[in-house]
Amino acid sequence: MPVIVLEARDFTSPLFLMRTWEVIAGGVTFSLAAVEHTDSSVFRTFCMLTWCFFFTLTFLILVLSIIQFHSLIPISWKNLTVTVAVYGALMSLSASVYFPWKVMPHEKAFGRNVVATVASCLTAVAYTSESVMLGSQAQEQKGYMGSLPGMLKILQLWGGCQNITLVVKTISELSGEGHTWQTWVLGVCYVSCVFMSLVTLLVILGDLTGRCLLPFDRFLTGFTLSGVLLYMLATVICFTKILQLRGLKDSMELIITETVLCTISLLAYTVDLAFSIKHFFDRSSM
């Protein structure tokens, strides 16, 4: 099959320019952050993984869009691009916060890290701009992940990844101070929710909704209900930990951040469950 390359005018389209911006800004960010670092904390690992992962993924999307090879890949291209854009915006924003907050105070190359933080913020802006562009398209063009329920599922995955990072950091800081059983329960809740989100995402991106053992709407409703219950438990534990660990400033910062993210995730799952129930009854009444 001959390789088809984009026409010249396509290389100046807003979408192509945004993806180019993402690749350049992402590459600059992790290149600067990787030089002469002295900190190997959980947050540095999170930031580096985020920048490298989305740089690689966006670069592949850019190349595939240039040679028009994506039609031969068994993936829903419209769902993939909007997922990468929205998830990339959220994760890049998180890295742009964590890096100056938790990583830079332990680094010596202050000036280089400031530039890396600015580049990370520009990466987040680029992904946000692409998300807006894709979100303004018609529903048939942006796919299920571009709808509100799809966006909520991306938000759920993002919240789970943030909370897992915070749990790992909390375990390392509170290993000798008790209450670790609560942290391990939180970890199980978050990992379970992330696993369910990944399964849902793979089914949608792989266009496998018709191959599920259960109807896809029931499949989503079951996963979403499980997420609501798990995050209700996690939210109660987080508020309990705040009361138990009063006075520990560094630990309190992490736990309050985790509580806020846990509450956001619970809200996302609750709204998503309402959409799933509504869709289920709408189909039942037809």
Side-chain angles (χ1 to χ4, degrees):
M1 181 178 178
V3 175
I4 303 174
V5 181
L6 290 180
E7 296 182 7
R9 64 174 180 274
D10 295 323
F11 287 95
T12 57
S13 66
L15 192 58
F16 183 87
L17 293 177
M18 280 301 152
R19 287 173 180 163
T20 305
W21 178 3
E22 293 160 7
V23 170
I24 295 174
V28 169
T29 303
F30 74 74
S31 298
L32 290 173
V35 177
E36 297 181 7
H37 69 273
T38 57
D39 179 59
S40 300
S41 65
V42 174
F43 290 111
R44 164 171 275 281
T45 302
F46 171 85
C47 292
M48 291 300 295
L49 284 176
T50 296
W51 294 325
C52 293
F53 176 77
F54 283 100
F55 168 83
T56 303
L57 199 54
T58 306
F59 180 75
L60 290 175
I61 289 176
L62 192 63
V63 171
L64 290 174
S65 66
I66 291 174
I67 63 176
Q68 298 289 286
F69 194 69
H70 54 79
S71 59
L72 301 179
I73 301 176
I75 291 178
S76 175
W77 181 255
K78 56 187 178 183
N79 283 314
L80 175 64
T81 52
V82 72
T83 300
V84 172
V86 177
Y87 193 42
L90 292 171
M91 293 293 283
S92 297
L93 178 61
S94 298
S96 300
V97 173
Y98 287 144
F99 192 73
W101 177 31
K102 289 295 184 180
V103 179
M104 280 180 59
H106 306 287
E107 296 278 354
K108 295 180 180 179
F110 181 78
R112 184 184 295 110
N113 287 329
V114 169
V115 178
T117 302
V118 173
S120 181
C121 292
L122 292 176
T123 306
V125 170
Y127 279 112
T128 303
S129 301
E130 184 186 355
S131 302
V132 173
M133 290 179 189
L134 295 176
S136 63
Q137 295 177 344
Q139 185 59 50
E140 309 81 50
Q141 293 178 295
K142 59 186 179 182
Y144 175 82
M145 297 307 295
S147 64
L148 183 55
M151 296 284 188
L152 288 171
K153 288 172 177 57
I154 299 173
L155 183 62
Q156 293 160 11
L157 180 60
W158 169 79
C161 292
Q162 308 308 302
N163 285 324
I164 289 174
T165 303
L166 293 170
V167 162
V168 172
K169 182 64 176 177
T170 303
I171 288 175
S172 65
E173 288 193 354
L174 301 181
S175 57
E177 300 179 24
H179 313 301
T180 54
W181 69 268
Q182 297 170 325
T183 306
W184 284 107
V185 171
L186 289 172
V188 171
C189 292
Y190 300 147
V191 169
S192 300
C193 290
V194 168
F195 175 76
M196 290 187 291
S197 296
L198 288 174
V199 171
T200 302
L201 195 61
L202 290 175
V203 170
I204 294 172
L205 295 182
D207 278 335
L208 302 175
T209 56
R211 302 182 185 181
C212 296
L213 298 177
L214 291 175
F216 188 59
D217 52 351
R218 296 184 183 180
F219 172 81
L220 289 181
T221 303
F223 271 11
T224 308
L225 178 59
S226 299
V228 170
L229 296 176
L230 288 171
Y231 267 103
M232 286 178 64
L233 174 62
T235 304
V236 172
I237 293 177
C238 284
F239 279 106
T240 303
K241 287 174 66 178
I242 289 177
L243 297 176
Q244 292 175 334
L245 298 173
R246 284 181 300 180
L248 300 175
K249 182 179 178 182
D250 293 338
S251 301
M252 281 296 291
E253 287 182 354
L254 295 176
I255 295 170
I256 290 174
T257 304
E258 182 183 349
T259 304
V260 172
L261 291 170
C262 194
T263 304
I264 293 173
S265 299
L266 176 59
L267 180 61
Y269 272 102
T270 303
V271 176
D272 194 16
L273 180 61
F275 275 107
S276 298
I277 293 174
K278 180 180 181 299
H279 180 69
F280 177 76
F281 281 109
D282 286 346
R283 289 195 60 181
S284 300
S285 60
M286 291 177 62

